[in-house]
Amino acid sequence: MSTAFAAPVRPDAHPVSSGAPASDAATIVVRALAGIGEVRPGDDLVDLIAGAAADAGGLHDGDIVVVTSKIVSKAEGRIVHAADREQAITDETVRVVATRAHPGGITRIVENRQGMVAAAAGVDASNTPDGTVLLLPVDPDASARAIAAGLRARTGARVGVLLSDTLGRPWREGQTDVAIGAAGVHVVDDLRGGTDAAGRTLTVTMACLADELAGAGDLVKGKASGCPVAVVSGLGRAVGELDLPGAASIVRPSDRDLFRLGTDEAVELGRRDGHDAGFARGRAVGHAEGFASGYAEGVAAARAEALAARARLEVEGASC
């Protein structure tokens, strides 16, 4: 069986981007696919998903398949034997953003190899055998493209695929699923340049459809239901070609990231940079002043020595 819920959609919804097909749908249906079972390294996810979808009515043009990244990691063999999960996190870390100690240990917010900022670098120890952890797919967008291409070929349906993972959000409690991989889906609904209900021009509004869809999929998949795949129907306007920008395009570039560090880390970095700069400046000034002082003392000493030598010569000359 599959679980589903329906939500109303504005009939006049703005096209996702230029060239994206409009939709007359007034309802979105989200259903979880049952029957996929435990995924193991080497399993064919296209075969598993297509089979489960066929048992639940099949896939159709415009459907978006939301796949929990955990089963992609398992199928791709991203299982690591690690007695110490902390070492696995360290190995996947590119940049430390913030660390906080708490009674249960230390939480690390880091940038991982995929370019995402997440707690524990996305390393997952849940629903895995003891002594092992799961790493995220090496290239989530490439994994999504492979699944999307396979499902299109297998079913004949023009579908999109999202890979989802659970992340926290700055300034908000709790977690939600977001898209870490995407293929054949317009990940952002860019409304800039349009107008609101009052006729005012929209200048910054960009709805992240990929994350919204990932969160919707999680509502029916759950965390322990054994249904790692959901299908969203009724949003065909969001489905496009497989070469559309993937979920990596959602990650904000570093030059526009206003919060690259945690507060404590930013303060400490400022102190360290200030200390280093102050020390370097003080050393340079001290060296210059010392050189000037030494030079003056040297000139004075040389002059005194010269005068003393001259006096000795005059005394010796007078005694001859």
Side-chain angles (χ1 to χ4, degrees):
M1 295 179 63
S2 64
T3 304
F5 78 87
V9 181
R10 302 189 321 273
D12 60 342
H14 190 283
V16 176
S17 66
S18 59
S23 172
D24 294 326
T27 300
I28 292 176
V29 176
V30 186
R31 53 195 171 97
L33 298 184
I36 290 179
E38 180 63 27
V39 174
R40 295 177 174 79
D43 281 352
D44 186 338
L45 289 182
V46 171
D47 185 63
L48 292 175
I49 295 170
D55 292 340
L59 295 174
H60 307 281
D61 286 348
D63 283 348
I64 299 170
V65 182
V66 184
V67 183
T68 302
S69 64
K70 185 188 296 287
I71 67 169
V72 179
S73 294
K74 288 182 177 180
E76 294 181 353
R78 296 282 286 163
I79 303 173
V80 175
H81 291 276
D84 183 6
R85 178 177 179 239
E86 296 303 313
Q87 184 58 50
I89 295 171
T90 298
D91 293 341
E92 292 298 302
T93 295
V94 172
R95 176 176 63 89
V96 176
V97 175
T99 60
R100 294 295 181 272
H102 53 83
I106 297 178
T107 295
R108 285 189 279 173
I109 308 297
V110 305
E111 179 184 338
N112 63 17
R113 296 178 184 273
Q114 290 79 7
M116 295 177 290
V117 174
V123 176
D124 194 349
S126 63
N127 296 317
T128 62
D130 289 341
T132 65
V133 296
L134 276 178
L135 308 182
L136 292 176
V138 173
D139 186 340
D141 282 334
S143 298
R145 282 194 299 273
I147 296 172
L151 288 176
R152 289 186 179 195
R154 173 75 176 269
T155 67
R158 189 169 182 265
V159 301
V161 169
L162 296 174
L163 303 193
S164 68
D165 195 34
T166 304
L167 295 182
R169 287 83 36 79
W171 309 295
R172 300 183 72 83
E173 296 288 353
Q175 299 82 33
T176 185
D177 266 28
V178 302
I180 67 168
V185 178
H186 292 273
V187 295
V188 171
D189 191 353
D190 191 348
L191 301 177
R192 293 174 299 178
T195 56
D196 64 13
R200 289 184 291 266
T201 300
L202 299 172
T203 59
V204 298
T205 304
M206 296 174 63
C208 188
L209 276 180
D211 284 353
E212 292 177 331
L213 290 165
D218 188 51
L219 289 175
V220 297
K221 289 186 296 172
K223 300 301 182 188
S225 65
C227 296
V229 178
V231 178
V232 180
S233 302
L235 201 63
R237 67 187 182 90
V239 177
E241 300 304 320
L242 294 182
D243 61 355
L244 286 171
S249 66
I250 302 172
V251 178
R252 179 165 289 162
S254 60
D255 62 345
R256 292 196 286 116
D257 185 354
L258 300 181
F259 309 100
R260 284 183 59 77
L261 293 173
T263 302
D264 292 351
E265 288 72 21
V267 169
E268 177 57 30
L269 179 61
R271 287 174 175 167
R272 186 166 64 249
D273 287 351
H275 173 273
D276 292 346
F279 182 82
R281 175 61 178 162
R283 182 174 182 180
V285 170
H287 180 271
E289 291 179 349
F291 178 83
S293 175
Y295 179 80
E297 290 178 0
V299 169
R303 181 177 178 81
E305 181 63 29
L307 290 174
R310 180 179 177 180
R312 287 195 299 272
L313 290 175
E314 290 176 347
V315 170
E316 292 173 356
S319 62
C320 293

